[in-house]
């Protein structure tokens, strides 16, 4: 779907009046090809920015008032708040994301000396796990940076987004989603080492294949508390390993080293979590090598192995995404398929030969409906650029 920015502009003027120019911006959602739950374990990730995301229009005000409106939450109307009241609250719903970014700017010494009117519109399906919140955070950061003239790099905007999500929204996420939204590059995935934020762009040249995202259309509750539990379990495993080996993160270990030292982790659950983090990091490194040498078959096999590890060891998959992956593995022409993102529902990502795309969609749609009663959705996606101004 293409979004008409002029229509957003008209809506902005209808809501807030025509006086003064408003500027338009976009920040994308992301899909992670491989490297799941490694970003808070000092490992590698391999996400790419999508062409869907969040649009934002902004105009500064002369007072300290903030007016926020989302075309995705029309019923909530215009939400008014003030720069002097940047505290999270359940009632504030989605506005906790932009407010959190403003709070983080202030905390970091980027003083916002006037209020603003903002309109948002997002075309990422709600609850799909394609990082609508990270895109909203990065977008807000970019709009503030430009409106107030701060000198902040795109990487720092990603870090501001993560800080805000951790400390204002209470979700202890890693850096992957905000980094992909801020730093994405058309037709490339980002090979990011989360231990030091070194990154390289890897062209995703799939001459005979497409990337398909399948939305399970389920989102199990308590996602953020289950996510935070995984993070705590990984940290407990790291602490246990540090009693026998000198490492800073789980990403420092090879598979062989993990096997050598794993008995130091007495809790079997924590041991499984650490196994996933170590093996998934190595899989990600191998997957990027495979892509570089055009070994797409190997790339696909590593994607499948990632799903199995998330299903059995990290336990962030769920029945519905397991069904989608298992169905995909049976379709001829599917090179790889796995759950993507934080988990407990959301989407799978599959690499599918071009000639099999229709068969893939038809087969999964029908069989998933039969097994779960739920209608899945499919997006044959392109890889887009990171956050940017639109005019
Ligand atoms: C969520 C988080 C990311 C990352 C993924 C899992 O999307 O926001 O930081 O941890 O889950 O890979």
């Amino acid at each position: 779907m293409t979004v008409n920015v002029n229509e957003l502009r008209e809506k902005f003027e209808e809501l807030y009046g025509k006086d003064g120019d408003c500027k338009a911006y976009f920040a994308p959602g992301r899909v992670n090809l491989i490297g799941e739950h490694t970003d808070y374990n000092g490992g590698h990730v391999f996400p790419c920015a999508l062409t869907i995301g969040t649009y934002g229009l902004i105009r500064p005000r002369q007072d300290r008032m903030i007016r926020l409106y989302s075309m995705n939450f029309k019923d909530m109307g215009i939400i008014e708040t003030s720069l002097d009241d940047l505290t999270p609250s359940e009632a504030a719903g989605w506005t906790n994301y932009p407010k959190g970014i403003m709070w983080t700017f202030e905390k970091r010494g980027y003083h916002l000396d006037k209020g603003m009117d903002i309109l948002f519109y997002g075309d990422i399906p709600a609850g799909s796990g394609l990082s609508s919140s990270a895109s909203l955070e990065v977008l807000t950061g970019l709009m503030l940076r430009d409106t107030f003239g701060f000198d902040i790099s795109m990487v720092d905007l990603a870090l501001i987004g993560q800080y805000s999500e951790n400390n204002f929204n209470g979700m202890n996420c890693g850096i992957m989603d905000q980094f992909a939204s801020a730093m994405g590059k058309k037709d490339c995935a980002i090979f990011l080492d989360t231990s030091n934020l070194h990154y390289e762009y890897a062209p995703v040249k799939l001459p005979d294949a497409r990337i398909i995202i399948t939305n399970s259309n389920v989102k199990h509750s308590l996602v953020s508390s289950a996510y935070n539990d995984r993070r705590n379990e990984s940290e407990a495993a790291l602490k246990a390993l540090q009693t026998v080996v000198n490492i800073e993160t789980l990403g420092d270990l090879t598979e062989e080293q993990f096997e050598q030292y794993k008995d130091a982790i007495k809790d079997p659950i924590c041991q499984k979590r650490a196994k996933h983090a170590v093996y998934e990091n190595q899989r990600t490194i191998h997957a990027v090598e495979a892509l570089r040498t055009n070994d797409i078959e190997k790339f696909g096999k590593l994607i499948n192995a990632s799903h199995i590890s998330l299903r059995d060891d990290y336990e962030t998959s769920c029945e519905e995404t397991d069904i989608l992956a298992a169905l995909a593995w049976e379709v001829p022409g599917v090179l790889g398929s796995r759950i993507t993102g934080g988990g407990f529902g959301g989407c799978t990502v599959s690499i599918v030969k071009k000639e099999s795309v229709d068969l893939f969609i038809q087969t999964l749609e029908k069989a998933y409906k039969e097994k779960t009663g739920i209608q899945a959705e499919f997006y044959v996606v392109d890889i887009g650029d990171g956050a940017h101004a639109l005019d």
Side-chain angles (χ1 to χ4, degrees):
M1 192 185 79
T2 41
V3 172
N4 184 337
V5 180
N6 284 333
E7 278 173 25
L8 302 185
R9 220 176 270 284
E10 276 166 27
K11 184 74 195 171
F12 185 96
E13 290 180 351
E14 179 194 317
L15 291 166
Y16 299 128
K18 286 187 195 289
D19 275 356
D21 285 344
C22 63
K23 284 211 64 170
Y25 296 84
F26 172 75
R30 65 93 189 93
V31 64
N32 188 23
L33 298 179
I34 190 163
E36 214 67 83
H37 292 279
T38 48
D39 67 344
Y40 49 86
N41 282 313
H44 293 77
V45 292
F46 198 47
C48 40
L50 296 169
T51 53
I52 52 174
T54 312
Y55 295 76
L57 274 66
I58 183 167
R59 186 165 67 196
R61 300 173 54 88
Q62 294 314 315
D63 56 14
R64 294 183 60 74
M65 194 194 266
I66 303 163
R67 293 195 291 180
L68 301 164
Y69 179 85
S70 167
M71 292 174 68
N72 301 85
F73 297 94
K74 288 188 177 135
D75 292 351
M76 287 174 77
I78 297 175
I79 296 178
E80 293 190 358
T81 176
S82 147
L83 283 169
D84 303 312
D85 182 26
L86 297 175
T87 43
S89 78
E90 216 167 292
W94 68 270
T95 65
N96 282 317
Y97 292 102
K99 281 168 75 176
I101 300 296
M102 294 171 197
W103 174 82
T104 308
F105 266 63
E106 288 284 350
K107 226 174 144 55
R108 298 206 166 179
Y110 299 115
H111 180 52
L112 307 173
D113 57 2
K114 26 175 157 24
M116 61 212 95
D117 292 334
I118 306 184
L119 170 137
F120 291 109
Y121 171 70
D123 60 356
I124 301 174
S128 58
L130 300 175
S131 293
S132 55
S133 42
S135 78
L136 182 52
E137 290 155 3
V138 170
L139 174 69
T140 305
L142 180 62
M143 292 196 299
L144 296 179
R145 180 188 83 172
D146 279 14
T147 305
F148 292 88
F150 299 125
D151 182 15
I152 307 175
S153 70
M154 292 306 285
V155 170
D156 281 336
L157 285 183
L159 288 164
I160 286 172
Q162 182 198 14
Y163 183 90
S164 169
E165 182 139 354
N166 291 173
N167 296 287
F168 199 85
N169 301 98
M171 162 80 173
N172 226 351
C173 65
I175 188 62
M176 172 170 72
D177 304 348
Q178 291 81 4
F179 200 95
S181 182
M183 298 295 292
K185 186 171 166 180
K186 188 171 165 38
D187 296 331
C188 291
I190 311 169
F191 183 41
L192 171 68
D193 181 344
T194 61
S195 69
N196 53 20
L197 296 191
H198 291 167
Y199 65 94
E200 284 168 42
Y201 291 112
V204 180
K205 288 176 279 173
L206 302 170
D208 306 321
R210 297 297 315 252
I211 300 171
I212 306 184
I213 296 175
T214 306
N215 190 347
S216 69
N217 272 326
V218 292
K219 186 183 182 193
H220 294 287
S221 55
L222 301 177
V223 171
S224 77
S225 72
Y227 180 95
N228 291 349
D229 289 347
R230 295 299 180 281
R231 204 172 163 153
N232 294 336
E233 288 155 0
S234 297
E235 268 159 31
L238 174 66
K239 281 218 174 69
L241 284 167
Q242 282 169 331
T243 62
V244 291
V245 57
N246 185 13
I247 50 168
E248 286 191 14
T249 67
L250 295 175
D252 291 340
L253 291 178
T254 61
E255 296 101 322
E256 295 74 26
Q257 287 167 322
F258 177 76
E259 295 303 329
Q260 187 183 345
Y261 297 117
K262 68 180 182 192
D263 292 339
I265 313 168
K266 301 290 176 227
D267 181 324
I269 299 280
C270 293
Q271 194 180 109
K272 287 208 292 186
R273 307 299 191 238
K275 181 180 176 200
H276 167 80
V278 171
Y279 278 68
E280 179 76 355
N281 179 41
Q282 297 299 326
R283 266 192 293 275
T284 306
I285 296 168
H286 297 318
V288 176
E289 277 162 18
L291 194 63
R292 284 206 176 110
T293 53
N294 285 324
D295 190 347
I296 308 296
E297 301 273 332
K298 182 168 177 200
F299 184 65
K301 288 203 173 94
L302 290 161
I303 286 182
N304 293 346
S306 168
H307 183 87
I308 292 167
S309 178
L310 289 159
R311 183 189 69 192
D312 299 343
D313 288 333
Y314 218 66
E315 295 179 279
T316 50
S317 190
C318 62
E319 199 190 338
E320 293 84 356
T321 43
D322 285 344
I323 290 173
L324 285 175
L327 286 169
W329 296 336
E330 297 302 316
V331 177
V334 172
L335 296 156
S337 184
R338 65 176 204 91
I339 183 171
T340 183
F344 312 103
C347 294
T348 60
V349 59
S350 309
I351 312 292
V352 182
K353 287 203 169 143
K354 275 186 182 151
E355 67 268 20
S356 301
V357 167
D358 290 344
L359 177 68
F360 174 91
I361 295 175
Q362 280 157 17
T363 311
L364 266 70
E365 189 172 32
K366 184 161 179 283
Y368 182 69
K369 183 89 197 260
E370 274 165 18
K371 284 179 193 280
T372 63
I374 304 165
Q375 182 68 43
E377 277 168 53
F378 299 86
Y379 324 112
V380 182
V381 296
D382 293 313
I383 302 178
D385 280 321
H388 54 272
L390 290 172
D391 39 22

